[in-house]
Amino acid sequence: MSTARQNPLSYDEAVTWIQQFSKSSIPRDQVTASFSRSSGPGGQNVNKVNSKVSLRLQLDRATWIPPHALQKLKTSPLVNKAGELQTTSDRTRSQGKNLQDCYDKLIQAIKQAVTVNRPADLEALAKIEKR
């Protein structure tokens, strides 16, 4: 990869990318979901139903994520040894709700990585210089 492609998006490009990004933007073949018994709330339900969800995104194949965001994600504590961005949820007794919670966490992590700081405007810089 060239260093030119490693540069972050401009602020406006990042905002546009984030606004257009949704669950449907994530290729299904790059996401793996696994289910297990939860230790969370639910009484006897936790002994019967695999409601805990673990969702993994393969970062090596995620070419649709901007390069600067991929670099941030690879250093995230959510990345496991296999290089996968992993989220888990056992908040509810429902497997479907926990799966949606995992997707929400995944989307939030990606959007956070894509975020670029807004450049300072000239008026603010002038005020700082004046002080």
Side-chain angles (χ1 to χ4, degrees):
M1 245 181 239
S2 69
T3 53
R5 290 291 299 148
Q6 294 293 335
N7 292 338
L9 301 172
S10 71
Y11 176 78
D12 293 331
E13 290 171 332
V15 168
T16 301
W17 194 95
I18 290 169
Q19 288 173 345
Q20 293 174 349
F21 182 68
S22 66
K23 180 180 173 183
S24 62
S25 305
I26 302 171
R28 296 285 176 242
D29 64 333
Q30 294 179 10
V31 177
T32 306
S34 60
F35 308 96
S36 60
R37 291 202 173 108
S38 174
S39 61
Q44 293 300 313
N45 193 52
V46 296
N47 298 326
K48 300 178 198 169
V49 180
N50 292 331
S51 59
K52 181 178 180 179
V53 179
S54 178
L55 194 67
R56 293 180 191 88
L57 172 69
Q58 300 173 358
L59 290 179
D60 291 341
R61 296 179 53 206
T63 57
W64 47 272
I65 298 175
H68 77 281
L70 271 174
Q71 293 301 332
K72 286 183 189 177
L73 287 171
K74 286 180 181 179
T75 61
S76 168
L78 296 175
V79 175
N80 63 19
K81 291 180 181 179
E84 300 168 322
L85 183 61
Q86 181 176 350
T87 60
T88 58
S89 179
D90 61 355
R91 281 181 152 174
T92 70
R93 294 169 52 174
S94 166
Q95 191 180 79
K97 288 178 182 176
N98 287 337
L99 181 61
Q100 183 59 47
D101 187 42
C102 281
Y103 268 108
D104 292 344
K105 290 176 182 179
L106 183 70
I107 289 167
Q108 186 61 33
I110 294 170
K111 285 182 177 183
Q112 180 92 26
V114 172
T115 301
V116 175
N117 290 336
R118 179 184 287 242
D121 65 12
L122 296 176
E123 288 180 28
L125 290 175
K127 286 180 184 178
I128 293 170
E129 282 293 321
K130 194 173 186 179
R131 290 182 185 170

